[in-house]
Amino acid sequence: MENWTMGLWQACVVQEEVGVQCKDFESFLGLPAELRISRVLMFLSNGLGLLGLLVSGFGLDCLRIGETQRDVKKRLLILGGILFWTAGVTALVPVSWVAHVTVQEFWDKRIPEIVPRWEFGEALFIGWFAGFSLLLGGCLLNWAACGTQAPLASGHYAVAEMQTQCAYLENGTANPSV
C-alpha cells in the first residue's frame, strides 16, 4: 500500500516495506499555481506573525519601556492582534486551498486509476492548527487590549505611584495638580 502526499516543498510517498521517501521540487516556476501562491502566502504569514509578536511584545504591561504612555501600549497591542489575525488568515487560505485542490484531484474521474492519488499529509493539519491558533491569539489580544482597564497590580507600578505621591507630600502639598 502506498500513500502519496505533496507539500509546499517536497512530494513524498509512504510505502509499508520501504518507509517514507521524499523528493524536493526542482523549480519554483515549474510548480502548479496553487503551490507557488501558497508558498508566498506562507512566507507572508510567517513575517506577519513575527512582526505581530514583536509589536505586541512592546505593548505588554510587564515591559518598563514607555510605561507612562498607556495609550501607545494599548495601540501596540491592538496592532499586534491585527497582525496575528492577518497572519492566521494568510496561513489558512493556502492550506485550505491546497486541501481543496487535493480533494478535487482525488475524486477526478478523468484521471486514470494507474496514476497515484494525492492524500493529505501531516503538514496540512499542522497548518490548520497554526492558522486557527494565530486567529485565536489575535482575537484574544485585541479583546484584552480593548477590554476594561484592570487596576495596576504589578509591583513596579505601585512603587512608581508611591514615589510620586511621596514627592508631593515632601513639598507640602497633598494635591499633585498644585
Side-chain angles (χ1 to χ4, degrees):
M1 182 171 154
E2 297 182 331
N3 288 334
W4 292 77
T5 59
M6 181 170 35
L8 292 178
W9 310 106
Q10 59 189 4
C12 298
V13 61
V14 181
Q15 298 174 335
E16 288 181 11
E17 303 85 27
V18 181
V20 179
Q21 293 179 343
C22 295
K23 183 177 186 296
D24 294 338
F25 295 123
E26 299 291 324
S27 169
F28 178 76
L29 296 176
L31 292 174
E34 69 267 5
L35 287 182
R36 287 192 309 245
I37 294 171
S38 295
R39 279 185 178 188
V40 171
L41 286 174
M42 290 306 284
F43 274 121
L44 183 64
S45 175
N46 288 336
L48 288 171
L50 180 64
L51 187 62
L53 184 66
L54 292 174
V55 167
S56 62
F58 285 114
L60 293 176
D61 284 336
C62 60
L63 278 180
R64 297 191 69 153
I65 299 171
E67 62 184 291
T68 58
Q69 302 171 338
R70 298 185 68 57
D71 58 333
V72 173
K73 284 189 168 267
K74 181 178 179 178
R75 288 183 186 151
L76 285 174
L77 283 176
I78 292 171
L79 179 61
I82 291 170
L83 287 170
F84 276 140
W85 194 85
T86 308
V89 169
T90 56
L92 286 174
V93 166
V95 169
S96 299
W97 188 12
V98 169
H100 173 72
V101 169
T102 302
V103 169
Q104 293 290 20
E105 290 177 356
F106 187 85
W107 295 109
D108 192 1
K109 298 294 182 188
R110 295 173 292 168
I111 299 175
E113 289 295 323
I114 199 155
V115 176
R117 305 287 180 161
W118 300 104
E119 295 186 16
F120 290 165
E122 293 86 12
L124 196 70
F125 299 105
I126 293 171
W128 275 324
F129 180 75
F132 284 121
S133 296
L134 284 166
L135 278 176
L136 179 65
C139 291
L140 288 175
L141 199 56
N142 283 332
W143 175 71
C146 294
T148 59
Q149 188 67 24
L152 299 174
S154 64
H156 67 273
Y157 285 119
V159 171
E161 282 184 5
M162 286 177 28
Q163 288 175 346
T164 56
Q165 289 174 356
C166 289
Y168 294 121
L169 292 176
E170 289 174 3
N171 292 340
T173 61
N175 189 0
S177 62
V178 175

